[in-house]
Amino acid sequence: MNRVPPIRCAIRAAFVVAVAFGIAPLAVLTAEPPDAAAAAREGLSPSEELTSFHLADSELEIELVAAEPVVASPVAIAWDADGRLFVAEMIGYPATENTCRIALLEDRDGDGSYERTSTFADNLSFVTSVMPYRGGLLATVAPDVLFLKDTDGDNQADVCRVEYTGFGTGSQQLRANSLHWGLDNWIYGANGRCDGDVRRPEAPVESAVSLRTRDFRFHPVSGTFQAIAGQSQFGQAHDDWGNRFLSWNTIPARQVIVDDRYLASASNRMFDVVIDLTEPGDVGRVFPVSLPPRQFNTEQANYYNALCGLTIYRGNQLGPCYAGGAFICESLTNLVTRRVLEPSGPAFIGRRAENERDREFLASTDSWFHPVNLANGPDGALYVVDFYREFVEHPIYVADEQIRNATDWRHGAERGRIWRIRKKGSAARQCQTRQHSRANANELVALLEHPVGWQRDSAQRLLVERQDANAVVPLQDLAMRSKSPLARLHALWTLEGLKALNETTLLTAIGDAHPGVRRHAVQLAESRIQASAKVADAVLALVNDADLSVRFQVTLTLGLTTIPQSPEAISALVDQANDPWTTFAALCASDRAAWPVLRQLLQRHEWNESVDVEQARFLEQMAMKLTTQPVASDIDDCLTWLASAPRSANSSARIAVLAGLSKELTGEQAERLLGVSTSPALQAEAAPSTRGIPALLRLAGRAATQVELDFQLRLQAIELLARFRTPVAESILLELLQAPHPSTVQAAAARSLAEWGDADCCRSVYRRWPQLGVAAREETIASALRTSAATTALLDAIDDETVLTSELPVAARIALAEVQDVALKQMVERLLTDTALVDRAAVVARYREAAQMSGDARLGAMHVQKHCLTCHSVLGVGGRVGPDLSSVGSRNSELLLVDILDPSRNVSADFLNYFVHTQQGKTFTGLIVAESADAITLLSANGERETIARRSIEELRSTGKSIMPDGIEEELSPQQLADVLAFLRRPDRALLPAAAKHDESNHPE
C-alpha cells in the first residue's frame, strides 16, 4: 500500500490494470486455474485464488481463514486475549471518508476459520491498525488514537475515547499505523510519513510532541507520549529480544540501533542510528509470478516498489529455520518476500532467504492478491492480510486527471481475505486462547514460557495492565529458574512493569548465561546503578563480556550514570572496541565525562602518539564534547596535555584532539586559544597550557601536505589549519589547491577557504581555477553558498568568465536565487537566468516529444549517473536522498516527464527543501531528516548530513519546493532525456560505470 516518489523527489504514481494468468501451482490445488481475462476484470473466488499461490517451501501450505462477506478491504489484524480477531477494514480507501470500520471475527467451532462477524465500530475515517488493550481496543484513526470498548457484550463498541490526537491526515496509506505492545511495556506505533504534533486531547496545544521524521510510543500507565528514533512507513515490528525494525516501501527492513534516551546531546544526533538491512549486491529485485502491473506500456517493475507490513516471525508453526526472520509484503506485485536476519553485534544483516534466488516466499499469479500486512497468530502460524481488490494505488499520485476521474478506484472494495501459512501436516490449531482474559496470575505467568511470541506478549500485557501483586512471586521464580531464556526475559520486564523487580532478581539476570538476558538486565539496571554498589559492580564486571551486544549496552548504560568508575570503564570498552557501534556508544556515554574518558585513553601508550583514522575521528568527536562539560577546568587540563605531550613527527592524536576542541569553543575561550596561534605577544603571556598550540599547528601543516598520509587524517589537519586562520595556514591551503594534490584534497582546502568568509582568500581560490579538479570545483561552488564573501567571489568569477555559467549545477543556481543580500541578489539577476521562475508547464510541453522519441539506453545510463545518482539509487548503485529509480520503467513516460521537469508539482512534505541561516552567517539547505528540542539534521542533495544546534539558527524556512531543483532541462536536450527514459524503462546495472566501483568496494579481493 505504500508508495513514495520514484524519480528524484517528485511523488510517483501508477495506474495498475493488472492481468492474471494461469500457471500450474506448486501446492496441492482444489480448483482449475481460472480464466485470465475474467480474473483481470472481476478477480477470483477464494477457492480460485488459492490455486494461484506459489510457496517456495513445498513443506508449507496456505489456507483460507476468512473472506468476504465476513471481511472486506482488510489492512491490519489483531487478536484479543480470548482469541477473537479484530480486523481494520479500509473500505473507503482511497478517499471516501467515514466508511471504514473494525470487524470482530469469531471462530466458534474451533476449526481455524472465522465464520461469524460483527461490526465492532464503523463510520471511521481510514483505520490503519488495531491493538487489544484493557478489555477493549486501541486503533489508529488519524488524527487520533482511539480507545474502543464493548461494555454490554453485544460485540459493538459503546465506548469511544480519544487517547491522543494531532497525527497527520495526509495520504490515507501513509498515516500512523502498526500499534503493538513492546517488550519494555511501551506501546509502539509507526509514523506513516504524515508526521503530526501529538498530545493528549485535554492537554494544551503547546505541549504537543512533533513527529516529524520520527516514530512514536506511549506508556500505558503514565500516559507519556514520546517521539522516537526512526520513521516507518506502513509496518513496524520487534523481534523476541526487543530489537526494533522499520518498514519502508523500497527497503525490505531497517533497524534502529540506539534508542533516543542515549542521544542526549545534539552532537550525538549527527549520526544516523537507523540502518538498512540489505546485503551487498542486493539490487532491489523481486520475483513475481503474476504479469507486471500494466500501466501505459508493457515494461516490467520487478523491483522494490510497494513494500509494507513488515513482520518478524515469532511463532512455531513454520519450522525453526523461519524463526526470527523478516517477512515483507510487496503489495503491488502480489507477493511476500523474506529475509534472514543474521546478528552482527548490536546490528543485523538481512539476507535473501529463499535457496533459489529467483523465488519468493509466497507469490500469486492473481493480480488482485494484494498482501498489505502480516501477523503472528496465537497458534504460532503466519497470517497474511489480503487487501483483495483491483487497485491498490492512490489516485492522488496519478498525474493524469482524466485517468484519475475515469477509474473506479474502489472496484472490489467489498472483497477481502485473510490467509494462514503453516507447515503441512500440522494439526489444525484453533485460534481460541481459552479465555486468557479470565486467567489468574499463575496461569498468565506460566504462559511466559510458551514457545509462541503472541502468547508471551499477551500474558505480559495482561499482567501489566492488571498490576496484579499476586504475580510477583511466581514471576521472580520464573526469572530465576526457568530453562527458557525468553521466559526469563519476559519475567524481568513484567516485574519491571509491576514495579516489583528487586535487586536479587536483577543481579541474577545480569549474570545470566544467555547474552540476550544479560543485555536487557543491564538496561533494567539503569535506574538502580547509581544507588546500589552491588548493581554497579555487576554491570562493570561485564566490561569484558564475551558478547559484543552486551558490551555495547554496558557502554550506553554507563553514559546515564555518574558513578566514579564510568570513565575508566568506558575507555576500556573503547580500547577493545572492534565495531563502530560500540565506539558511537562511547561517544554518547561521554556526554557527562568527556575529558575523564579521554584522559584514560590518552594515558595509554598506543593512543598517546599515533592513531589510525577511526581513532582520530573518535578523539576529535570526544574533544568537541569538552565545550559542553560541567567541569570548566577540563579544557585547561586538555590543553595542558596538548602542550606537554612529546611532539613526534607523527602527532595525529594531538592534532585530532585540538581539531575537536577548537571546532566547538566559543567566546573568550575561543579567542584565547585562537589568539595564541597568531599573536607573539599573546604567546609570551599565554598560560603554559596554550603555549604548545603553535607547534601543533606546524605539525598539522606538515600532515596536511603529506601526500602519502591517509586522506581522512589530512582532512582533519586541513580543517584544523582553517580554523586558526593564520598566514601560514592560508599559504598551506592555497598550496593544496594545486597538483600533485588529489582533487579530494583540493576540495577540502577550497571548502575551508570559502568558509573563512574572507574576500581575498575566496578570490584566491578562483585565481587557481584552471588547476582545480572536478571535485574541487564542485566543492568550491557548493561552499560558496555558505557565506556572503564566498558568494560574492563566485559571482565575480562568473562575471569575468573565470567560471562559466555552464559549470554551475542546477542546485547552485536555485540556491543563488534565494540569497537575501540585496546587492548579491541584483548580481544574480544580472548574471543568471532564474530557472525557478520558468513556467514549468511550458517546459514539460516543450519536452513532450522526448516521451515518443527512441532513446539510447547506454547514453541514458551516463546521464543518469551524472545527474541522478548523487541523490538516487538504481539497482543498488547511488545515493539515498531521493527515492529508488529501479522500478520507474513501468511509469508512463509522459508522467515521468512531469516528475523530472516539474518535481515540485506533487511533492510530499518529507521531500520539501529547507533553508537554514545561522547566526554565524552560514547557509545550509536540504531535507529535515531528524530533529529534537535542541537540534535539527539536514540531508543535502549530495548526501551530506549537517546537524545544527537550534540556538545558532537565525532562520529556518521551507522553500515550498522539492529538494530536487527545477531546471534539469538546462542539462539535457529532448534527445538526451529520451535516452534517460530508455535506460529507466529497462535499467541495466552493467551500463552504469559506477556499478563496477560499487561492486568492487563491497567485494574486495
Side-chain angles (χ1 to χ4, degrees):
M1 289 191 62
N2 299 301
R3 310 296 303 285
V4 296
I7 182 132
R8 297 231 173 177
C9 299
I11 289 196
R12 175 179 180 193
F15 174 52
V16 184
V17 185
V19 179
F21 63 105
I23 297 179
L26 301 181
V28 177
L29 306 180
T30 59
E32 292 297 320
D35 175 71
R41 289 191 303 269
E42 297 300 332
L44 306 177
S45 68
S47 61
E48 289 173 328
E49 186 186 7
L50 180 63
T51 71
S52 75
F53 289 128
H54 292 217
L55 280 162
D57 186 346
S58 60
E59 296 299 312
L60 299 179
E61 65 181 355
I62 184 168
E63 55 194 350
L64 185 68
V65 172
E68 68 276 0
V70 172
V71 64
S73 297
V75 296
I77 60 176
W79 291 264
D80 73 359
D82 296 330
R84 301 184 303 169
L85 179 59
F86 290 85
V87 183
E89 298 182 328
M90 203 182 282
I91 300 169
Y93 180 85
T96 307
E97 296 282 347
N98 302 319
T99 54
C100 300
R101 67 190 183 200
I102 299 170
L104 192 165
L105 277 56
E106 295 177 277
D107 172 21
R108 294 201 165 185
D109 58 11
D111 66 352
S113 296
Y114 293 87
E115 68 283 342
R116 180 186 172 99
T117 183
S118 305
T119 299
F120 185 72
D122 60 4
N123 299 321
L124 301 173
S125 290
F126 309 110
V127 56
T128 55
S129 68
V130 288
M131 192 202 97
Y133 179 72
R134 297 191 181 279
L137 203 67
L138 290 174
T140 45
V141 187
D144 305 320
V145 168
L146 300 178
F147 174 69
L148 303 158
K149 189 172 184 178
D150 166 26
T151 62
D152 57 13
D154 64 354
N155 287 347
Q156 294 183 350
D158 46 77
V159 173
C160 181
R161 181 175 68 241
V162 176
E163 295 289 314
Y164 299 93
T165 190
F167 293 93
T169 55
S171 170
Q172 286 83 353
Q173 57 181 297
L174 297 176
R175 299 184 178 191
N177 61 87
S178 300
L179 292 179
H180 62 284
W181 184 274
L183 177 65
D184 58 0
N185 303 312
W186 287 74
I187 295 170
Y188 286 79
N191 174 304
R193 288 186 60 205
C194 282
D195 299 339
D197 295 290
V198 181
R199 59 185 173 85
R200 300 284 285 189
E202 68 277 7
V205 173
E206 56 269 20
S207 69
V209 176
S210 172
L211 285 189
R212 184 153 53 185
T213 71
R214 293 155 72 74
D215 286 334
F216 64 92
R217 69 175 188 172
F218 53 90
H219 199 277
V221 177
S222 69
T224 302
F225 185 95
Q226 295 178 347
I228 56 177
Q231 182 182 23
S232 303
Q233 197 159 308
F234 193 85
Q236 188 190 91
H238 285 79
D239 67 4
D240 281 339
W241 296 97
N243 299 297
R244 186 161 66 97
F245 300 91
L246 315 180
S247 172
W248 203 251
N249 74 303
T250 55
I251 304 169
R254 300 186 298 160
Q255 181 190 357
V256 178
I257 308 295
V258 181
D259 289 340
D260 264 41
R261 67 180 181 279
Y262 303 116
L263 304 175
S265 71
S267 61
N268 297 333
R269 298 182 185 275
M270 293 173 62
F271 301 89
D272 194 345
V273 297
V274 179
I275 62 170
D276 297 348
L277 303 184
T278 52
E279 61 184 322
D282 184 345
V283 299
R285 281 292 305 273
V286 291
F287 300 93
V289 296
S290 58
L291 284 177
R294 191 153 54 92
Q295 298 169 23
F296 301 100
N297 50 46
T298 57
E299 283 72 36
Q300 295 194 22
N302 296 341
Y303 297 92
Y304 302 148
N305 200 305
L307 297 172
C308 58
L310 167 71
T311 296
I312 307 299
Y313 180 61
R314 302 175 58 218
N316 64 350
Q317 289 296 296
L318 299 186
C321 66
Y322 291 94
F327 290 79
I328 310 101
C329 302
E330 223 304 338
S331 60
L332 189 67
T333 48
N334 325 117
L335 59 88
V336 175
T337 190
R338 178 171 72 103
R339 295 295 180 271
V340 173
L341 301 182
E342 297 179 357
S344 177
F348 286 83
I349 298 172
R351 303 198 185 280
R352 175 168 275 277
E354 312 316 322
N355 292 330
E356 297 180 45
R357 288 299 181 115
D358 60 348
R359 303 286 298 278
E360 298 292 356
F361 172 75
L362 171 66
S364 172
T365 59
D366 181 3
S367 63
W368 281 45
F369 171 59
H370 293 302
V372 296
N373 222 327
L374 302 158
N376 288 285
D379 57 352
L382 180 69
Y383 286 73
V384 182
V385 180
D386 180 3
F387 188 72
Y388 194 84
R389 56 163 76 177
E390 184 175 6
F391 302 114
V392 73
E393 293 299 287
H394 198 298
I396 64 171
Y397 301 141
V398 175
D400 191 306
E401 185 176 357
Q402 183 177 356
I403 293 171
R404 278 203 309 269
N405 296 335
T407 303
D408 180 7
W409 297 102
R410 293 183 62 199
H411 184 212
E414 74 283 357
R415 308 275 196 98
R417 287 91 191 259
I418 299 170
W419 305 90
R420 175 171 51 236
I421 302 174
R422 63 182 181 182
K423 201 160 189 173
K424 285 181 179 177
S426 59
R429 302 288 184 102
Q430 64 181 33
C431 291
Q432 208 166 13
T433 57
R434 291 175 175 78
Q435 302 296 311
H436 285 353
S437 65
R438 301 177 186 177
N440 62 36
N442 286 320
E443 291 169 333
L444 290 176
V445 170
L447 279 174
L448 297 179
E449 292 194 285
H450 201 285
V452 173
W454 183 94
Q455 299 282 348
R456 298 192 303 273
D457 290 350
S458 185
Q460 179 177 332
R461 176 179 63 82
L462 290 170
L463 287 167
V464 173
E465 285 179 357
R466 293 177 185 178
Q467 292 290 296
D468 189 347
N470 292 322
V472 172
V473 173
L475 281 169
Q476 290 171 341
D477 184 69
L478 191 71
M480 304 276 277
R481 297 178 179 82
S482 176
K483 294 181 180 180
S484 166
L486 286 173
R488 300 196 296 273
L489 178 68
H490 278 277
L492 287 171
W493 277 109
T494 307
L495 285 166
E496 177 72 1
L498 296 176
K499 300 180 177 62
L501 179 60
N502 62 31
E503 187 170 287
T504 300
T505 306
L506 179 60
L507 290 172
T508 300
I510 293 174
D512 195 276
H514 195 284
V517 177
R518 295 198 300 277
R519 176 167 65 91
H520 278 272
V522 171
Q523 187 175 332
L524 286 163
E526 289 169 359
S527 61
R528 300 163 174 86
I529 193 171
Q530 202 74 40
S532 171
K534 288 184 179 180
V535 172
D537 289 344
V539 171
L540 291 167
L542 299 180
V543 165
N544 297 309
D545 194 276
D547 186 82
L548 177 57
S549 64
V550 174
R551 299 198 303 274
F552 171 74
Q553 183 60 55
V554 169
T555 311
L556 291 172
T557 294
L558 289 174
L560 301 182
T561 74
T562 56
I563 59 174
Q565 305 96 314
S566 283
E568 183 176 1
I570 294 170
S571 66
L573 286 158
V574 172
D575 204 23
Q576 62 177 313
N578 56 2
D579 76 299
W581 287 113
T582 301
T583 303
F584 173 64
L587 283 172
C588 296
S590 301
D591 280 340
R592 302 181 183 182
W595 174 240
V597 173
L598 257 180
R599 183 175 56 208
Q600 290 284 341
L601 279 173
L602 295 172
Q603 287 173 352
R604 295 174 169 83
H605 173 73
E606 58 270 23
W607 283 83
N608 193 263
E609 281 297 318
S610 177
V611 291
D612 62 26
V613 172
E614 293 303 321
Q615 291 170 329
R617 184 180 292 113
F618 175 78
L619 290 177
E620 179 180 6
Q621 292 162 348
M622 286 289 288
M624 288 168 59
K625 290 179 175 289
L626 288 182
T627 61
T628 60
Q629 298 298 291
V631 182
S633 61
D634 284 353
I635 293 176
D636 285 334
D637 289 347
C638 181
L639 289 170
T640 299
W641 173 82
L642 286 169
S644 62
R647 289 176 291 280
S648 66
N650 189 335
S651 298
S652 52
R654 283 177 300 286
I655 290 173
V657 171
L658 183 57
L661 191 62
S662 60
K663 189 173 185 177
E664 292 296 313
L665 279 180
T666 58
E668 184 179 338
Q669 288 178 320
E671 291 177 10
R672 181 163 58 93
L673 182 62
L674 302 178
V676 167
S677 64
T678 57
S679 169
L682 283 178
Q683 291 172 19
E685 299 174 1
S689 61
T690 58
R691 289 175 186 167
I693 302 302
L696 280 177
L697 291 177
R698 288 192 292 273
L699 291 172
R702 187 182 306 165
T705 56
Q706 197 171 336
V707 176
E708 65 275 12
L709 193 64
D710 185 280
F711 167 68
Q712 293 298 329
L713 293 176
R714 294 184 71 184
L715 176 61
Q716 197 172 59
I718 289 169
E719 291 178 346
L720 175 59
L721 288 172
R723 208 160 292 130
F724 281 83
R725 303 188 182 186
T726 66
V728 173
E730 180 180 347
S731 174
I732 291 172
L733 292 174
L734 291 172
E735 175 191 338
L736 294 176
L737 294 176
Q738 306 174 67
H741 302 291
S743 188
T744 51
V745 171
Q746 293 179 347
R751 179 173 63 250
S752 296
L753 287 167
E755 292 190 352
W756 277 7
D758 180 87
D760 290 336
C761 286
C762 292
R763 286 192 289 268
S764 297
V765 174
Y766 294 103
R767 286 196 287 270
R768 291 161 175 77
W769 193 254
Q771 288 79 45
L772 297 186
V774 174
R777 291 186 178 205
E778 292 175 350
E779 188 60 55
T780 299
I781 292 173
S783 300
L785 306 173
R786 297 283 180 87
T787 65
S788 59
T791 303
T792 301
L794 171 61
L795 292 172
D796 286 342
I798 294 171
D799 198 15
D800 63 22
E801 298 185 351
T802 299
V803 177
L804 302 177
T805 55
S806 59
E807 293 183 90
L808 291 178
V810 174
R813 292 171 178 266
I814 300 300
L816 285 170
E818 294 285 339
V819 296
Q820 303 296 300
D821 183 273
V822 175
L824 292 179
K825 200 170 194 64
Q826 291 174 347
M827 286 189 72
V828 171
E829 292 172 352
R830 177 171 60 85
L831 295 172
L832 303 173
T833 299
D834 187 355
T835 56
L837 299 179
V838 172
D839 183 347
R840 305 317 303 166
V843 172
V844 173
R846 191 168 73 246
Y847 272 73
R848 186 161 287 126
E849 61 178 318
Q852 310 303 325
M853 297 169 66
S854 297
D856 186 327
R858 291 183 178 277
L859 294 176
M862 295 173 59
H863 295 308
V864 166
Q865 174 156 319
K866 179 179 179 181
H867 300 294
C868 306
L869 293 192
T870 298
C871 291
H872 303 273
S873 61
V874 178
L875 305 181
V877 181
R880 291 281 190 177
V881 180
D884 192 293
L885 305 183
S886 302
S887 61
V888 299
S890 58
R891 181 95 163 101
N892 173 271
S893 294
E894 291 197 14
L895 299 182
L896 270 178
L897 286 179
V898 175
D899 294 340
I900 296 170
L901 298 170
D902 192 5
S904 296
R905 182 178 295 186
N906 296 305
V907 64
S908 101
D910 49 355
F911 282 100
L912 283 173
N913 194 31
Y914 281 80
F915 272 77
V916 176
H917 299 283
T918 70
Q919 295 174 357
Q920 292 75 32
K922 294 183 179 180
T923 300
F924 303 91
T925 66
L927 305 176
I928 295 180
V929 293
E931 65 176 319
S932 65
D934 55 0
I936 66 167
T937 299
L938 290 182
L939 179 65
S940 69
N942 62 5
E944 292 185 357
R945 288 175 177 267
E946 189 79 37
T947 296
I948 307 162
R950 287 191 183 274
R951 65 178 182 274
S952 69
I953 295 176
E954 187 173 274
E955 181 185 14
L956 169 65
R957 61 183 173 87
S958 167
T959 64
K961 292 188 174 183
S962 164
I963 191 174
M964 175 183 170
D966 299 334
I968 191 67
E969 70 275 5
E970 295 192 12
E971 307 287 343
L972 298 173
S973 67
Q975 179 58 59
Q976 290 171 325
L977 189 52
D979 296 337
V980 168
L981 294 177
F983 173 76
L984 293 177
R985 287 187 189 110
R986 291 189 179 275
D988 184 346
R989 209 164 182 270
L991 298 182
L992 293 169
K997 183 181 295 186
H998 179 274
D999 293 342
E1000 182 179 343
S1001 64
N1002 281 293
H1003 301 283
E1005 293 295 330

